[in-house]
Amino acid sequence: MEIRIRDLVEAGLYKSEEEVMEEALRLLLQDRPHLRVALAVHRYRTDPELTLAQAAAIARVSVESMKEILERYGVPLRLGPADRTEALAEIRALEDFLNVGACC
């Protein structure tokens, strides 16, 4: 017997199928860090708007570690913000990264 996403919603355990999928994805990436890293590399490679700091936040590694990871994958670095908006986005991503696991 297979369990369907809809079953979880109908049982009142989740409000929507989207909520089930979001939690499933969050738990998958939490359980398999290599997937977070691969996702961060892919996003950095394919999304010119994604900063190094944002990629590091996705991978949950330091910016320096992310540089090393990208180098291993042969992905050229895009260093330095192009404008003020990008600089602020990097600051927010770093703040988010530093707050991961912060206690009460």
Side-chain angles (χ1 to χ4, degrees):
M1 171 105 197
E2 82 179 58
I3 297 173
R4 299 169 303 165
I5 293 172
R6 188 81 207 139
D7 294 334
L8 296 166
V9 176
E10 289 173 1
L13 302 171
Y14 292 89
K15 293 178 184 175
S16 67
E17 290 183 18
E18 182 178 294
E19 186 179 316
V20 175
M21 294 300 293
E22 286 175 2
E23 182 170 1
L25 181 59
R26 182 181 58 76
L27 292 173
L28 175 67
L29 294 175
Q30 177 181 314
D31 188 49
R32 299 187 180 167
H34 67 282
L35 293 179
R36 281 195 317 269
V37 170
L39 177 61
V41 169
H42 169 74
R43 292 275 315 276
Y44 188 82
R45 181 183 290 142
T46 61
D47 181 356
E49 299 296 315
L50 191 77
T51 67
L52 180 61
Q54 290 168 326
I58 291 168
R60 293 190 186 159
V61 298
S62 69
V63 171
E64 287 305 312
S65 292
M66 193 71 221
K67 286 180 186 178
E68 293 170 7
I69 291 166
L70 291 169
E71 187 176 297
R72 279 199 310 264
Y73 279 85
V75 178
L77 297 177
R78 300 184 307 265
L79 298 176
D83 56 30
R84 186 174 194 281
T85 302
E86 189 174 308
L88 292 172
E90 284 193 24
I91 290 169
R92 280 191 298 277
L94 282 170
E95 288 172 343
D96 290 344
F97 174 74
L98 294 173
N99 286 327
V100 169
C103 186
C104 321

